Every structure is written in structure tokens, then in C-alpha cells.
Amino acid sequence: MRILGFRSNGLMITALIMTGALVLVALCAPWLAPEDPRAIGDLTNRLAPPGVEGALGTDVLGRDILSRLLYGARVSLAVGVGSVIGVVTLGLLVGLAAALGPRWLDRLLMGLTDLFLAFPRIFLVLLLVAVAAPSLNLVVIVIVTTGWMGVARLVRAESLSLRERDYVLAAEGLGLSTAVVAWRHVLPHVVPLVLVAAALRLSGAILLEAFLSYLGLGAQDPAISWGAMVEHGRPHMVDAWWVSTLPGLAIAWTAVGCNLLGDALRDRWDPRRVHQGGGDE
Amino acid sequence: MIHEVLRRLAATVLLIAALLTVVFVLVHLAPGDPVDLIVDPDLDDVGRAHLRTSLGLDRPLLEQYGTWISGAVRGDFGRSLQRHRPVSEIIAEALPRTMLLTGVAYAVHLTLALLLGVALATRRGSWFWRGVDVAGLVVYSLPAFWLALMLILVFARHLGWLPAGGMQDTSAMLGAESSWLDVARHLVLPVFVLGAASAMGTARFLRTSLLEILGSDHVMAARARGIPEGQVIRRHALRNVLLPVITLVGINLPALLGGAVVTETVFAWPGMGRVTVDAIFARDYPVVMATTVLSGVLVVLANLLADLLYSRVDPRVRLGRRGAP
């Protein structure tokens, strides 16, 4: 990849450092964590401030917050990445089918897209969570079923314009099936766009998981989620600020890193930026 | 034009009917018995049967669907299982409170976003505004529920300047008189979380559109005529930004209503969001169904309004003649 210019490069480097550190922490949590994140401490160690007992203090059950934060990165990233992969796959399928399939399918799928877009997402999410038992798997399923519409629209619009290109018309003229045209000739050109969309949605998915777990509708007890940690510390917020504050900072770090990554990828790959003389290609 | 408006209205009615159907299907075709969701599993069979009858769950699904649709059209969403009152009454109380919160938050949001967007587009070189840009991105990325908690911790618990939650002081709730100042004090923190913190996202969107317009031919022509830069921005660029702003009104409403759920939950603001979350914990699904449908209807109506406005403001756009975006 070529260097576009100092600013966008700095953005990319910052984004990669922030998200890279996170991935590293999530992968190496068992080696980095000083304590067992689920080990309940004795009575005297409850709500110990940072520096006294463990580097970042302990929560109301005397569990080491630093260790819990490190392990929490796993849940956050797994749910974020997992649900974004689901969102992108579903969005790609719907978008390609709408753009390249028969006209009735296009109308049906776009009608469905409009319908799902009409709900403020969180209401639909809460309704879905309410009719099933809360778990992290459910959180992923719910994020996917309420989040595919934007990608579907994006892919459809891009595929519609690709469809008019000479090489796609030629491929169709040669008698290739729609599926082959979609897979070999349209999909590869949609991928950069979709990657940007995926990166931009990552922080949204992570924040949604955190909020659901904060409400108690996401991660259930043995699982360690930053959102749930914020909620555990809430009743003791005035005496022990660190219990709620630190996991929130971890969520914020993740969201900022993902948003920066999305911005940096968009700067590189957004076709409009390229046309404005970005210098790529 | 009239024809197009009617067509658009018909489509809106269809969409609302589909909203009602989706919510019904999601609740009734979900695995498991709704009765299990409502009551504790220890309830005996007689109690269960009684509950089923009183909720109408023993009737055929199609009949239940008919009851749901015909009721919803008349604004009748059944009775709340938790509060033993008609759902419509609960919503009639909660909706104006959410409107107040989101309305004020939206005004703050748009004002801030416009100011910031213009500043970011026109002062790109300055380090100060670059700093603002980065700070804004950080604030924009903060988890709203956590930001709300932190604000409560600092401004309510430690400094004691503002109330920690609710809509009125307890004294005002006991007495009949509720003062505007009291409500306004309770609004400050929720409005900041809902309106101001997210303004940076909109501001960045506006900056992009503004930069596009500032690079267009008519702006270059205006500059070539020697018109001062401030005037170019006000007269030639900002006027065109009106269009994306109108679109934003439509696009942002779902996000704002969603944000209201988060904000109301943390600040105990007794609006639609708080009612919904409470109802979810109480398994009070008539209330959840009603608030979900209503939030969708609000969004659909706002989109309709934005479309109609758009076609009035921009002569290039006529309803029903939009190609692929």
C-alpha cells in the first residue's frame, strides 16, 4: 500500500496501535493477568483502591480488576468481531441478491430493509432479547439481525453500478450464471467498501454488547464483560470510583480504536477520496 | 406532486402495517410460551390456564393477530401486566417526557453540530481545531451509559450541582406544582449525554458535505468574483448544506430515540425508554410491543416528513423519481 500523506498515515498508525494492543491483550490475557479474574478475595480485600491490592484495585467481591479488564477484552472483541462478520455476510448476501437477482427479489429485499430500518435499533434489540434467555450468543444473533441493513444497501448500490460495466456485461453475455458473475466479477470489487463498513460498525457492536451486559441482558455471570463490570460497580460508585470507571475507559479505548481504524480505512479506500486526487491507483 | 404525496402516504401506511406484523410475529413465534416469560415457572396449571384466557392466548393465532391490529389502529394496545393499567395510558404519560428530552437534546445537537461542522471545514489548517476534532471523536466514542454514570458521579454526587436522576425533585412530585426550573435542572445532564456528546458525529458528516460544496464550481465562481470568504460560506455554501441537514433530521431520529433509551435508563427519566426497559425486566410484553411499534411509527413519520421537505427545498429531487442512490 502506498503512503497517502502524513495525516492519514498517522491516523492509520494510531488506529493500528490501539486496536493491535487490544487484540494482543485479548489473546495473551491468561499470561498477562496477575490473578485469576474469577477468584473471590477475602473480606478485607473488597473494594480495595488501585495500588493497595492489585494494580487497579478490587471489586465488591475482592476480585482483581486488572485481571478482569484483561479478560474482558476477549468478550468485547469476540462479540464485536463475530457480530460484524455476521452483519457483513448477511448484508453482502442480501445486497448482491437484490442487485443481481430478479426484479421481484430486489423489491422484496429492499422492502424488508426499509422495514428493519424503520425501528430504532435498540427497541428491536430489547424486544428480541426479551423473548429469549439472555446470553452472549443471543447478543451476537441480535446484533446481526438488527444490523445488516446498511451493508445491504451499500452493497446493492455498488453492485448496481458495477453491473453496468463492460466486463460484467461481457461476462453475462458469455452466458455465465448470475451466481458466478456475483462471486467472481462483482464481489471482489465490493470487498474494500464492505471492509470499511465493517470497521465502522465494529465500535457500534461493541458498545451495544456493553450496554446490554450493563442492563444484565448480555453476558451472564461466569463470562466477564466490561459492561457488566460497570454495572457491578454502580452501587459503590461514590466510595469506590475505580470499579465502574476503569471498565468504561476500556470500552472507550476500544471504541475509539475501532472508529479510528474505520476512518483510516475509509481514507484509503473510499472511491470518492481516490477520485479527489488522493494519489492511490 | 399531489399524486406523489398520496403514493408516499400509502407506502407509509403499508410500512406501519408491516411494523405491527413484525412485532407480533417476533413475540408470538419466538420459541417458548409467552406465559413462561411472564410468570414464574412454579405457577400451577390452573393459574396458567387462567392467565392464558385473560390474555387471550388460548385463541387461534390469527384471531390474536386480528385483535392486535384492530386494537393498535384504535390506539388500544391492551393492558400492562405489571402496572394493571391500559398500555395507551402509560404511553400517553411517557411519550411527552421523551419528546421533551429528545426535542431539547436535538436542538442542542444540531446547533453544536452546525457550529462545529463549519469550524472544522473552514479551519482545517489550525492545530486547535485538529485537537477539537480528535477530542470530539473520543467523546463521540464514549459509551453513553458510562458517560452518564460518570457525570452523575461528578456533578451530582461529588459536586452536588445537579440532580442525579428523575424528572422532578421529590418535593415537586408530592406537591401538585412542578416548576419549569426544576425540570430544566433535571434535563441538563441527560441532554448533554444525548445531544451534545453525539454532536461530533454529525459535525464530521457536515464537514464532509461542506468541503464538497466548497470545492464546487459555484463556490469557486463566487470566490473568483472577490466575494469575502465569510460571505461565500454563509450565502453560497451553507445554503446548500440545508439539504444534508434535512436528511440528517430523518436519519438521526432513530439514533436519538435509541439514545433516549440509554439515557433515560441511567438517569431514571420516566419516558418511553425507561418504560420499555422496566417492562422488559417485568416481562410485560404488551408494553414492550407497544413502545417498539410506536418508536417505529415515529421514525417512519419523520422520514416521510423529511422526504416531503426535501422535495420542496431541492427542485432537483422529485418524490418517486429517485434512481439508485
Side-chain angles (χ1 to χ4, degrees):
Chain A
M1 232 176 275
R2 269 165 264 182
I3 295 163
L4 284 182
F6 172 74
R7 192 178 132 72
S8 108
N9 208 26
L11 192 69
M12 183 65 103
I13 289 170
T14 318
L16 285 178
I17 289 175
M18 287 185 78
T19 48
L22 207 72
V23 172
L24 211 68
V25 162
L27 289 177
C28 305
W31 295 280
L32 291 174
E35 309 267 345
D36 176 357
R38 294 183 184 87
I40 292 171
D42 55 50
L43 267 172
T44 52
N45 283 341
R46 291 186 182 180
L47 293 177
V52 175
E53 186 68 37
L56 295 179
T58 60
D59 70 3
V60 74
L61 293 175
R63 296 176 295 195
D64 182 49
I65 287 181
L66 175 61
S67 307
R68 291 181 70 75
L69 284 179
L70 295 174
Y71 274 89
R74 296 185 150 194
V75 163
S76 209
L77 278 187
V79 170
V81 172
S83 55
V84 163
I85 289 174
V87 162
V88 162
T89 313
L90 193 58
L92 260 176
L93 283 177
V94 171
L96 285 176
L100 305 174
R103 193 150 182 88
W104 63 264
L105 189 64
D106 184 26
R107 301 193 73 163
L108 179 75
L109 290 175
M110 284 305 107
L112 216 61
T113 309
D114 283 345
L115 180 57
F116 271 79
L117 276 174
F119 290 103
R121 187 175 188 184
I122 191 77
F123 281 91
L124 209 52
V125 164
L126 288 174
L127 182 74
L128 286 170
V129 172
V131 297
S135 74
L136 279 177
N137 286 336
L138 181 70
V139 170
V140 174
I141 292 170
V142 163
I143 293 177
V144 173
T145 44
T146 60
W148 53 273
M149 298 83 72
V151 179
R153 275 194 166 177
L154 202 69
V155 169
R156 175 182 175 268
E158 189 68 13
S159 309
L160 276 180
S161 82
L162 284 170
R163 200 189 172 171
E164 301 302 317
R165 301 273 176 89
D166 288 342
Y167 75 94
V168 176
L169 291 176
E172 277 177 346
L174 284 171
L176 295 181
S177 74
T178 311
V180 174
V181 171
W183 177 252
R184 307 231 357 220
H185 300 286
V186 176
L187 183 65
H189 298 272
V190 183
V191 164
L193 198 74
V194 165
L195 280 179
V196 173
L200 288 172
R201 275 163 180 75
L202 201 52
S203 73
I206 286 171
L207 289 175
L208 197 51
E209 182 276 321
F211 179 58
L212 286 176
S213 295
Y214 166 77
L215 287 180
L217 298 170
Q220 299 302 303
D221 213 5
I224 299 168
S225 157
W226 291 334
M229 287 173 72
V230 173
E231 162 58 21
H232 287 158
R234 197 178 52 87
H236 318 283
M237 218 165 58
V238 178
D239 318 311
W241 58 268
W242 54 93
V243 187
S244 276
T245 307
L246 297 175
L249 287 175
I251 302 168
W253 171 282
T254 312
V256 172
C258 295
N259 279 339
L260 284 178
L261 187 69
D263 272 15
L265 286 178
R266 182 171 54 192
D267 282 358
R268 268 181 204 276
W269 283 336
D270 190 329
R272 266 194 298 182
R273 291 273 307 209
V274 175
H275 288 313
Q276 278 167 13
D280 217 328
E281 286 191 349
Chain B
M1 183 68 194
I2 299 275
H3 179 74
E4 283 304 325
V5 171
L6 285 178
R7 210 185 62 88
R8 198 74 180 75
L9 276 176
T12 304
V13 170
L14 254 170
L15 195 56
I16 290 175
L19 288 178
L20 284 164
T21 310
V22 164
V23 168
F24 180 86
V25 168
L26 284 178
V27 169
H28 286 263
L29 295 191
D33 185 346
V35 173
D36 285 337
L37 298 177
I38 302 157
V39 297
D40 65 309
D42 299 333
L43 190 71
D44 62 10
D45 287 344
V46 180
R48 271 169 190 272
H50 183 72
L51 193 62
R52 294 184 75 86
T53 321
S54 67
L55 290 174
L57 287 171
D58 53 341
R59 283 174 291 157
L61 207 59
L62 217 62
E63 195 189 322
Q64 289 184 47
Y65 176 66
T67 315
W68 159 243
I69 294 278
S70 65
V73 169
R74 285 177 284 118
D76 174 10
F77 291 94
R79 292 177 73 83
S80 158
L81 306 172
Q82 177 195 17
R83 306 185 191 205
H84 309 289
R85 298 169 56 201
V87 176
S88 51
E89 258 181 52
I90 296 172
I91 286 178
E93 266 174 30
L95 190 60
R97 294 167 181 162
T98 296
M99 299 278 234
L100 175 66
L101 174 61
T102 44
V104 176
Y106 206 28
V108 170
H109 179 94
L110 273 184
T111 314
L112 254 177
L114 258 175
L115 292 175
L116 276 171
V118 171
L120 288 176
T122 53
R123 316 229 160 122
R124 271 185 302 162
S126 118
W127 282 101
F128 172 72
W129 285 103
R130 236 177 240 189
V132 170
D133 192 16
V134 173
L137 185 83
V138 173
V139 174
Y140 168 72
S141 307
L142 295 177
F145 68 94
W146 175 80
L147 178 62
L149 279 180
M150 291 300 116
L151 291 174
I152 291 173
L153 180 62
V154 174
F155 290 100
R157 299 272 182 254
H158 284 312
L159 296 174
W161 291 352
L162 291 163
M167 199 171 77
Q168 294 163 343
D169 280 337
T170 10
S171 58
M173 276 155 76
L174 293 173
E177 204 74 36
S178 86
S179 91
W180 274 105
L181 196 69
D182 186 31
V183 176
R185 266 165 45 82
H186 284 81
L187 264 173
V188 176
L189 292 181
V191 161
F192 180 83
V193 172
L194 187 56
S198 59
M200 203 59 195
T202 312
R204 297 178 115 229
F205 175 86
L206 278 176
R207 173 187 57 183
T208 314
S209 351
L210 249 181
L211 282 179
E212 237 163 69
I213 289 163
L214 284 175
S216 67
D217 292 343
H218 79 273
V219 170
M220 208 188 293
R223 280 183 179 147
R225 276 184 285 155
I227 295 172
E229 188 64 20
Q231 210 171 323
V232 169
I233 288 168
R234 275 195 308 277
R235 284 220 182 142
H236 299 265
L238 264 184
R239 206 167 266 201
N240 284 299
V241 170
L242 190 59
L243 295 175
V245 166
I246 289 174
T247 319
L248 271 180
V249 173
I251 292 173
N252 276 355
L253 190 80
L256 209 67
L257 275 177
V261 173
V262 179
T263 320
E264 286 180 6
T265 310
V266 181
F267 287 107
W269 185 267
M272 295 273 287
R274 179 84 189 183
V275 164
T276 307
V277 172
D278 282 351
I280 278 174
F281 284 109
R283 301 294 194 182
D284 191 353
Y285 76 91
V287 172
V288 182
M289 284 169 85
T291 53
T292 307
V293 163
L294 219 68
S295 68
V297 169
L298 284 176
V299 170
V300 170
L301 291 182
N303 281 336
L304 177 68
L305 203 68
D307 272 9
L308 294 178
L309 266 178
Y310 209 106
S311 70
R312 280 207 72 93
V313 175
D314 188 349
R316 289 168 305 179
V317 177
R318 283 290 171 248
L319 288 169
R321 271 207 280 135
R322 286 174 302 173

